[in-house]
Amino acid sequence: MAKLTKREARERRHKRVRNRVKGTPERPRLSVYRSLNHMYAQIIDDTVGKTLVAASSIEPELRNTLPSTKDVNAAKQVGLLIAKRAKEKGITKVVYDRGGNLYHGRIKALAEGAREGGLEF
């Protein structure tokens, strides 16, 4: 059996996580995507396949205030921003979809920021 590349391992974890994590109207899914330079987060209702709220480090309100868009601090700010926008829409409980990434570093910082902002998961 050949060793998996990092990308293949992440994709395999992502499929495994997505088999169990489903967003409902009562508890939508907080999906996270991490690129080399930015963090993206969406709150999705999987029953209708609609994005309810989104935030990312590429938005001008965050990008202009942060020294870097690719560190733990930027991820935490994205978490706080998505929590603020979710509360405005009346969303307080979500399920966390880490997108196959390990719960460490920027993925963990985004989750902690969302929790600080008032989201429960």
Side-chain angles (χ1 to χ4, degrees), residues 7-120:
R7 180 181 175 159
E8 290 167 341
R10 188 195 67 79
E11 287 172 354
R12 184 179 280 188
R13 279 192 307 269
H14 185 58
K15 286 179 185 175
R16 190 171 56 233
V17 168
R18 287 290 288 122
N19 281 331
R20 296 187 59 175
V21 176
K22 300 277 188 261
T24 64
E26 299 82 34
R27 224 175 146 102
R29 173 170 57 101
L30 172 56
S31 176
V32 175
Y33 176 70
R34 175 188 66 126
S35 72
L36 286 176
N37 296 319
H38 298 286
M39 289 293 294
Y40 305 86
Q42 299 180 76
I43 295 181
I44 303 166
D45 179 1
D46 286 321
T47 58
V48 292
K50 185 175 180 187
T51 298
L52 307 172
V53 182
S56 71
S57 62
I58 205 166
E59 296 177 15
E61 67 182 89
L62 282 182
R63 188 177 46 191
N64 295 334
T65 60
L66 296 170
S68 173
T69 58
K70 54 185 168 184
D71 60 3
V72 173
N73 182 39
K76 188 168 189 170
Q77 294 305 315
V78 171
L80 288 167
L81 181 61
I82 194 128
K84 180 182 127 193
R85 290 180 180 173
K87 291 198 103 173
E88 289 170 0
K89 292 258 186 163
I91 301 167
T92 56
K93 293 185 178 187
V94 296
V95 290
Y96 192 63
D97 175 11
R98 56 191 168 88
N101 296 296
L102 299 177
Y103 188 79
H104 183 264
R106 293 191 288 161
I107 302 297
K108 183 178 177 182
L110 192 140
E112 290 171 350
R115 284 188 185 109
E116 277 182 32
L119 288 181
E120 294 177 36

